[in-house]
Amino acid sequence: MSAKNLYAFGPFRLDPVQRLLFRDGTVVSLTPKALDTLLALVENRGTLLAKDELLEKVWPGTFVEEGTLAKNVSTLRKALGEAPGGGDYIETHSKRGYRFVAEVRDVEDWPQAAPEIPPDLATSVLAAPAVRRRWHIPAAALAVVLILAGAGGGLWYRRRPAAAPANGKITLAVLPFENLSGDPAEEYFSNGLTEEMITQLGRLEPDRLRVIARTSAMQYKGAHKDARQIGAELGVDYLLEGSVRREGSRVRIAAQLIQVRDQSHQWAENYDRELRDILGVQSDVAGAIAQQIRLRLTPEGQARLERTRVVNPDAYENYLRGRFFWNKRTVEGHQKAIEYFQKAIAADPGYAQAYAGLADAYALLGSQPNNLLPRREAMDKARGAAQKALGLDDSLADAHASLGFVKMHFDWDFAGAEQEYRRAIALNPGYATAHHWYAYDLVALARLDEALAEARRAQQADPLSVIISRDVGEMLLFSGRDDEAIAQCRRTLEMNPNFEMAHWTIAWAYWRKGQSKDFFSELDLARAGDGSAQGILLAIQGKRQEVRRILAGFSRSYGSAHQIAAIYVWLGDKDRALDSLEKAYDERDGALIVLRVSPELTPINSHPRFLELERRVGVLH
């Protein structure tokens, strides 16, 4: 290929001289190493590049972990989207490497219409090396670029509120606030403040502003990455970063807004307040950001910012401690969270958010096998706490979502759950958990296309969440889109190679495709989970004695009956399998909401007892 040629694939043009990727004439924002990765793959299209070989091409002579390469590939997949006709541009071969599989053409030059230069590249274009440029800049536009490139003009410009995109949403990520206290025990406070800011900003103007969810944002805690790199990985326009220090009853917060495209500081402010005024600080920050990115707040949104309450310091600290432990997503974590939420309520009985947190903790405790609290009692407590929270403040999206979870997972009131989820999403469209749970409610309602769309909205809000990534794969599996389910779960494994649930989903996709060897291999990789995979694998191999040991080892607490049923299915003992499902029904096991589409139960899903069980659970066909 001559120096002037470009690579063309789908709507993209890759320029190896300018080292830029264009989509329909507009530059696609990529980090230098992501672009190097793409160039290496495209130049070797159709060829499987081993990971070691690709690492050497992109980082020659440097030791780099495979996880960095996987993140680059994940960034490219997000930037490229689906190839024409569906599927990915880049194919992953587990434990081996990557291959660029789309058709690539060599083209000599741009079409007659010149590509658009985005504002963030104006200065770099003017300062580019003496290579032949393909852009034709009108004289008036060039004058504007020169003015903005000047030191004084640039500073003046950056202090102006940033222009909002003409189309689509502005996307923002709140990076973890830095704990400047020097005490690791204070991490709960800085983490909690981060989460509170995400919630506050997510409610500003949902039609124009999308805020990345906590799970993805918190992955940058302690990360040494620049704004451009983080922005590319998360696909955001702005970053809010800050720090917090507490001294006695006072809290000092520093915050700044960074525009990703040129890493310019749009706004910065310091706050020194009493802890009881912390909610006012959050509203002040949210209001300043709204002004900087030119959001037009609705009267309701403006009123919400102005309607801040003084918070009881003890209640607030206990609430943040509760959220800290709830986010661990373990039985022990939920138990500690409940204790702290109850302390918050004791300090301030009118604190609606503490009741919402209590509802979240009881709901997830009741959904997990545990010996602390019977499922029925946990779910009743979750329902009561959610209703109390909404009685105090009906605008809490998390309380609506928790109430929806109880209705879906325990009451099997799928229509009632849908109302709560839709209300939660209307209040905070960026609340990934509401979208995530709603997807499973839609599965029970036999609306699989909508369920997949909802799961993808959860993923858009929380792009680095491993469980949401895998559950998008499960939605594809439920929809019969087996190849896409496998590809999605492979991407999940790039994020976390040890995530066994992804192997479980891949295994059943291979089973439906009739690829027995791959099915056994993936099921074996999933065997370290709850025991279901290992039990099914041994049952298929006819090792009945070993299967009995697996069954005997299952906990007798809530949550075992469904897994035991799946093992009996593959032992060929339909009656015991159905008996176990009846036990799951008596326990109101939440796993039964996907009874109709569970692939591991396929061999018995036409049995009259199974069909009667579906009817009683209320899942639709």
Side-chain angles (χ1 to χ4, degrees), residues 523-556:
L523 204 59
D524 188 53
L525 289 169
R527 65 189 299 176
D530 59 23
S532 302
Q534 186 177 9
I536 291 171
L537 197 60
L538 292 169
I540 293 171
Q541 294 168 344
K543 299 178 180 179
R544 303 182 73 85
Q545 195 141 352
E546 292 180 51
V547 173
R548 289 192 192 95
R549 280 199 292 271
I550 294 286
L551 290 169
F554 267 96
S555 166
R556 294 303 168 192

Side-chain angles (χ1 to χ4, degrees), residues 260-452:
V260 168
R261 70 183 186 190
D262 57 3
Q263 302 188 67
S264 62
H265 290 70
Q266 298 289 310
W267 164 88
E269 189 60 84
N270 294 312
Y271 301 88
D272 187 345
R273 305 272 185 90
E274 290 289 328
L275 182 57
R276 62 177 51 251
D277 295 325
I278 189 70
L279 300 184
V281 174
Q282 294 170 16
S283 291
D284 289 348
V285 172
I289 290 173
Q291 182 179 10
Q292 288 299 315
I293 59 181
R294 294 187 176 179
L295 295 181
R296 294 179 180 176
L297 299 183
T298 62
E300 180 184 5
Q302 189 64 50
R304 189 184 299 121
L305 281 182
E306 294 169 357
R307 191 176 61 244
T308 59
R309 67 192 293 267
V310 172
V311 66
N312 179 299
D314 289 340
Y316 185 72
E317 286 204 53
N318 281 308
Y319 170 75
L320 292 188
R321 289 182 189 275
R323 281 296 179 196
F324 178 81
F325 282 103
W326 182 76
N327 280 312
K328 291 181 179 294
R329 296 296 204 273
T330 63
V331 170
E332 296 76 14
H334 297 322
Q335 184 181 24
K336 292 289 290 183
I338 288 167
E339 293 174 10
Y340 282 115
F341 289 137
Q342 288 174 335
K343 287 180 180 178
I345 290 166
D348 182 356
Y351 195 7
Q353 285 178 296
Y355 284 104
L358 191 61
D360 283 346
Y362 275 125
L364 290 194
L365 181 64
S367 71
Q368 294 176 282
N370 74 86
N371 294 310
L372 297 174
L373 204 62
R375 173 166 161 80
R376 183 176 297 277
E377 184 179 346
M379 288 301 193
D380 284 345
K381 287 179 179 293
R383 183 189 294 104
Q387 290 171 338
K388 178 66 174 177
L390 294 172
L392 291 166
D393 184 352
D394 187 61
S395 71
L396 295 179
D398 49 350
H400 282 287
S402 283
L403 187 55
F405 185 83
V406 173
K407 288 177 179 286
M408 173 189 74
H409 209 260
F410 183 75
D411 298 339
W412 298 332
D413 173 11
F414 304 120
E418 181 175 22
Q419 290 181 357
E420 296 298 332
Y421 289 139
R422 289 173 70 88
R423 174 65 174 151
I425 291 166
L427 288 166
N428 186 355
Y431 187 35
T433 300
H435 291 289
H436 190 192
W437 290 348
Y438 184 27
Y440 282 91
D441 192 58
L442 289 166
V443 170
L445 292 167
R447 289 152 58 185
L448 295 181
D449 288 345
E450 291 177 69
L452 177 58

Side-chain angles (χ1 to χ4, degrees), residues 66-82:
E66 283 187 11
T68 304
L69 176 60
K71 275 197 170 183
N72 268 3
V73 173
S74 179
T75 297
L76 290 173
R77 285 202 171 104
K78 289 174 189 170
L80 297 174
E82 282 193 357

Side-chain angles (χ1 to χ4, degrees), residues 589-603:
D589 189 331
L592 296 185
I593 68 174
V594 294
L595 187 68
R596 184 181 59 84
V597 290
S598 297
E600 68 272 22
L601 301 177
T602 300

Side-chain angles (χ1 to χ4, degrees), residues 13 30 43-44 112 151 349 352 382 472 507 574 613:
R13 298 289 186 275
L30 287 177
E43 287 177 339
N44 294 273
Q112 187 172 2
V472 170
K574 293 184 179 180
L613 186 63

Side-chain angles (χ1 to χ4, degrees), residues 51-243:
K51 291 181 180 179
D52 288 345
E53 183 180 359
L54 192 50
L55 284 167
E56 182 58 29
K57 285 179 180 292
V58 180
W59 293 274
T62 305
F63 175 76
V64 178
E65 294 182 355
E66 283 187 11
T68 304
L69 176 60
K71 275 197 170 183
N72 268 3
V73 173
S74 179
T75 297
L76 290 173
R77 285 202 171 104
K78 289 174 189 170
L80 297 174
E82 282 193 357
D88 291 324
Y89 284 94
I90 302 168
E91 186 177 81
T92 299
H93 290 256
S94 182
K95 299 181 181 178
R96 294 175 64 195
Y98 302 94
R99 173 162 45 204
F100 195 88
V101 293
E103 179 186 353
V104 178
R105 307 179 307 283
D106 291 347
V107 294
E108 290 191 355
D109 215 329
W110 291 103
Q112 187 172 2
E116 175 188 348
I117 307 172
D120 56 315
L121 287 176
T123 304
S124 63
V125 169
L126 295 171
V131 296
R132 185 173 68 85
R133 300 190 184 100
R134 297 182 174 86
W135 298 298
H136 307 286
I137 309 176
L142 180 59
V144 173
V145 169
L146 289 169
I147 291 170
L148 294 180
L155 184 62
W156 174 85
Y157 176 75
R158 288 195 294 271
R159 288 178 178 172
R160 285 280 192 265
N167 298 302
K169 291 186 177 182
I170 301 165
T171 309
L172 179 145
V174 180
L175 298 183
F177 273 59
E178 187 179 359
N179 169 24
L180 296 183
S181 69
D183 182 359
E186 290 289 306
E187 288 296 322
Y188 80 91
F189 193 87
S190 56
N191 289 356
L193 182 60
T194 305
E195 187 168 0
E196 292 285 279
M197 282 308 316
I198 290 171
T199 301
Q200 181 81 280
L201 289 164
R203 299 169 66 183
L204 273 183
E205 190 185 347
D207 290 339
R208 293 286 287 147
L209 177 66
R210 179 168 67 88
V211 182
I212 296 296
R214 176 196 179 278
T215 307
S216 292
M218 291 304 292
Q219 293 196 32
Y220 292 94
K221 191 174 184 69
H224 300 290
K225 296 183 177 182
D226 64 27
R228 194 183 297 275
Q229 185 176 0
I230 296 172
E233 291 175 1
L234 290 175
V236 299
D237 304 302
Y238 295 92
L239 300 174
L240 175 67
E241 62 178 27
S243 61

